[in-house]
Amino acid sequence: MSRREGSLEDPQADSSVSLLPHLEAKIRQTHSLAHLLTTYAEQLLQEYVQHQGDPFGLPGFSPPRLPVAGLSAPAPSHSGLPVTERLRLDAAALAALPPLLDVVRRRQAELNPRAPRLLRHLEDAARQARALGAAVETVLAALGAAARGPRPEPPAADAATVAGVFPAKVLGLSVCGLYREWVSRTEGDLSQLVPGGPA
Amino acid sequence: AVISPQDPTLLIGSSLKATCSVLGDPPGATAEGLYWTLNGRRLAPELSRVLNASTLALALVNLNGSRQQSGDNLVCHARDGSILAGSCLYVGLPPEKPFNISCWSKNMKDLTCRWSPGAHGETFLHTNYSLKYKLRWYGQDNTCEEYHTVGPHSCHIPKDLALFTPYEIWVEATNRLGSARSDVLTLDILDVVTTDPPPDVHVSRVGGLEDQLSVRWVSPPALKDFLFQAKYQIRYRVEDSVDWKVVDDVSNQTSCRLAGLKPGTVYFVQVRCNPFGIYGSKKAGIWSEWSHPTAASTPRSERPGPGGGACEPRGGEPSSGPVRRELKQFLGWLKKHAYCSNLSFRLYDQWRAWMQKSHKTRNQVGRRDLR
């Protein structure tokens, strides 16, 4: 692959390319944010299962994996993609998460009205996903690797509603799980770009 | 698979018949080997029976109240333990009639109300409480919006309240099993006014008087523009005691002298206010909270006492309780029946201070004489 001055097709292709200091700082910041949100996402998941009652949260609990409209878990092939392509997928997932988290929060407001912390944390998660997604897109733009063409609209809010309380609990678990997976995935993908980080 | 019924609501102690029907997914799936769990615990096999090739039935009796707000999780499992379907049970009681509504207005600007949810407490279901209010003679029902301001069953109405006219206030309780409404409380805002505690409470010694402390405070500033006569109460206790003594005949004044105290002792003092007779209301208002405790100590007695510690006053000295009480009664009688408006405890205390001073002077002269 030839090296082109002034733009980076794949920063990993030539590690001797020096990132501009502000870009480097932005990548570090975004990586730190992703690291922090990974911790929050794990806490949110734990808090969510506590409020649904057993068997949610019990060891070995394995509910049916309900499909979440417009979002799936990172594919096994994700880690084999170029880092910019991974980050594009991360940004797309982070953009799809906020409306799904909002649906979960609204349903939990009916099911667990006396759990204000859970409701607040679900609201925070939607905001945090939005912020991290925007930060990843900024990094991509700075790398000259922004998404080409218009981004597909995130799924409509009602795409994530289900009839029945138990399926709603399971769906909320899936959404919180996806939030954790994608934030963690984003942290891992950004670590490839952090100077001095893993190659 | 599908569980029926989905998300039923039931009374505590009632029974439930449910079914789990497999829908041929995966193909060939049957009811054989299916089992139930409730909140993660496997239910005894004798509670289930196979109705037909694709349906497993369940019969539960004498249900307990739901374990969590979001409903008890009844789950139908395949033989290998995988979850086929779920339904959430809501088992509880309808709400009881809320009662014991009490309301107060802070400085006539707002209204806060508190109530009790019901005599027997827990309904095991999420119960929504709504405080409603309306002007008695006209107007529409309004709903309070700021809940849990002073505890779980409370609400605060911050503004747009009328004075000199009665309000009707009540609480409606609703859950999945029904609703209940409290009795209506009727009140005029002016009759339930309270205020902040008196600010700037100062406690100080009264010269050398070893059994007295002077307490001064300021009238609550929020009420300065309103016509009212404040009543005050003072309470005080010895530093290492939990027993408060209350002085409650402190009328519309902002100072008081505590007497009959122990010499050389630290006292904690608090003051509270009742905006009595606000805007001509005939009713007493509501006592404020007590002010923050203020501490002061009485002078140590110079007379040696037993053990050399804090001294009790000598016998015959008129600072003991019963003597002082009788003197107070006498002065009160004098004021009513004789024109002695100048007589007061202040004069009496001044006399006592003069007596103590002359007593010390006489002692000193006496000791000098002995040398």
Side-chain angles (χ1 to χ4, degrees):
Chain A
M1 183 180 294
S2 61
R3 189 180 13 154
R4 284 194 268 165
E5 290 184 13
S7 72
L8 296 159
E9 279 295 308
D10 185 347
Q12 274 189 294
D14 186 347
S15 60
S16 68
V17 171
S18 134
L19 297 173
L20 294 169
H22 68 274
L23 173 58
E24 202 174 290
K26 185 67 191 173
I27 290 171
R28 282 191 200 278
Q29 279 172 7
T30 309
H31 177 253
S32 296
L33 177 60
H35 177 70
L36 180 65
L37 297 189
T38 302
T39 308
Y40 289 169
E42 183 61 52
Q43 289 169 358
L44 174 64
L45 192 57
Q46 296 308 315
E47 194 173 11
Y48 180 87
V49 300
Q50 274 170 20
H51 282 95
Q52 311 317 306
D54 292 334
F56 291 84
L58 286 182
F61 176 60
S62 175
R65 192 98 182 189
L66 293 177
V68 175
L71 185 63
S72 50
S77 56
H78 181 99
S79 51
L81 297 170
V83 68
T84 49
E85 187 54 33
R86 282 185 261 153
L87 287 175
R88 281 193 205 105
L89 290 172
D90 295 338
L94 291 167
L97 276 163
L100 297 168
L101 288 162
D102 283 340
V103 168
V104 174
R105 181 185 55 78
R106 281 198 294 273
R107 200 63 202 264
Q108 287 298 306
E110 297 165 6
L111 296 178
N112 285 298
R114 279 188 294 196
R117 272 177 53 110
L118 172 65
L119 301 178
R120 197 170 61 245
H121 289 163
L122 285 165
E123 191 175 358
D124 291 344
R127 240 192 339 261
Q128 287 155 7
R130 217 171 269 126
L132 183 59
V136 170
E137 296 207 7
T138 302
V139 168
L140 283 168
L143 290 171
R148 299 177 194 91
R151 181 178 295 290
E153 280 295 312
D158 60 4
T161 54
V162 288
V165 174
F166 188 82
K169 289 184 178 183
V170 171
L171 186 67
L173 180 66
S174 298
V175 171
C176 291
L178 284 169
Y179 172 58
R180 182 189 61 173
E181 286 183 69
W182 280 105
V183 169
S184 173
R185 187 66 268 160
T186 304
E187 181 196 356
D189 294 339
L190 283 166
S191 69
Q192 310 275 310
L193 293 179
V194 172
Chain B
V2 168
I3 293 179
S4 178
Q6 273 287 301
D7 312 330
T9 303
L10 303 142
L11 273 171
I12 286 180
S14 61
S15 303
L16 170 71
K17 283 188 166 47
T19 56
C20 175
S21 301
V22 292
L23 304 171
D25 180 23
T30 69
E32 202 64 42
L34 301 187
Y35 66 92
W36 297 94
T37 61
L38 180 62
N39 289 329
R41 295 187 68 176
R42 187 162 180 162
L43 295 175
E46 52 269 25
L47 298 173
S48 309
R49 65 187 180 94
V50 175
L51 272 187
N52 55 49
S54 60
T55 307
L56 180 72
L58 173 70
L60 295 174
V61 297
N62 197 21
L63 290 166
N64 290 326
S66 282
R67 217 205 285 182
Q68 55 259 345
Q69 257 185 78
S70 57
D72 295 321
N73 298 310
L74 179 67
V75 179
C76 176
H77 297 259
R79 185 193 293 274
D80 63 0
S82 58
I83 293 174
L84 297 176
S87 175
C88 288
L89 312 185
Y90 296 90
V91 186
L93 298 167
E96 291 189 21
K97 181 170 149 179
F99 69 106
N100 207 18
I101 305 176
S102 65
C103 302
W104 61 94
S105 171
K106 197 82 169 296
N107 307 319
M108 295 191 295
K109 288 179 184 166
D110 60 7
L111 191 69
T112 301
C113 295
R114 193 155 50 188
W115 63 91
S116 299
H120 299 111
E122 180 71 70
T123 59
F124 297 94
L125 300 171
H126 170 65
T127 300
N128 190 50
Y129 293 90
S130 182
L131 182 91
K132 302 274 182 87
Y133 61 101
K134 69 181 281 289
L135 286 164
R136 185 181 204 179
W137 308 121
Y138 54 91
Q140 61 193 18
D141 292 1
N142 300 290
T143 304
C144 181
E145 292 179 3
E146 294 178 19
Y147 289 87
H148 319 303
T149 46
V150 287
H153 302 292
S154 63
C155 199
H156 176 241
I157 304 165
K159 57 182 181 176
D160 298 333
L161 292 167
L163 304 178
F164 301 104
T165 183
Y167 275 92
E168 292 184 337
I169 298 169
W170 67 99
V171 176
E172 294 175 0
T174 309
N175 70 18
R176 286 170 176 258
L177 282 172
S179 58
R181 184 174 139 140
S182 71
D183 292 333
V184 173
L185 172 69
T186 304
L187 57 81
D188 188 321
I189 302 293
L190 285 182
D191 293 334
V192 292
V193 179
T194 187
T195 182
D196 295 311
D200 300 331
V201 177
H202 291 287
V203 185
S204 56
R205 294 177 174 181
V206 182
L209 290 178
E210 61 211 27
D211 67 333
Q212 295 189 18
L213 289 172
S214 170
V215 186
R216 292 179 196 283
W217 59 90
V218 176
S219 179
L223 294 179
K224 66 177 168 49
D225 295 327
F226 304 131
L227 296 171
F228 75 105
Q229 297 175 10
K231 283 196 305 186
Y232 296 96
Q233 255 186 5
I234 299 171
R235 69 177 186 179
Y236 62 95
R237 65 173 173 84
V238 172
E239 182 181 19
D240 50 3
S241 166
V242 295
D243 298 323
W244 292 94
K245 287 195 179 143
V246 177
V247 180
D248 60 1
D249 54 357
V250 185
S251 55
N252 196 12
Q253 56 196 29
T254 54
S255 64
C256 176
R257 197 182 285 194
L258 303 175
L261 306 178
K262 287 183 194 168
T265 304
V266 174
Y267 283 87
F268 286 106
V269 180
Q270 291 178 295
V271 185
R272 66 178 182 175
C273 174
N274 185 321
F276 171 76
I278 198 158
Y279 276 148
S281 165
K282 296 281 187 285
K283 296 185 184 176
I286 295 176
W287 287 104
S288 71
E289 296 292 321
W290 290 103
S291 62
H292 290 306
T294 303
S297 62
T298 47
R300 213 166 263 290
S301 171
E302 290 186 14
R303 290 158 295 170
C311 304
E312 291 294 337
R314 280 187 189 170
E317 288 228 85
S319 62
S320 55
V323 172
R324 198 165 182 85
R325 269 198 299 276
E326 192 171 299
L327 182 61
K328 193 169 161 180
Q329 284 164 2
F330 173 63
L331 288 175
W333 182 90
L334 264 185
K335 274 189 185 158
K336 272 191 197 160
H337 298 282
Y339 294 96
C340 306
S341 56
N342 290 335
L343 277 183
S344 66
F345 258 95
R346 185 179 285 185
L347 266 181
Y348 167 67
D349 287 332
Q350 281 175 353
W351 170 75
R352 283 192 55 232
W354 177 82
M355 284 289 287
Q356 278 184 357
K357 217 171 172 179
S358 347
H359 180 76
K360 277 185 206 159
T361 309
R362 278 202 296 276
N363 277 350
Q364 281 167 359
V365 167
R367 278 201 286 274
R368 270 195 239 122
D369 285 347
L370 287 175
R371 281 191 226 126

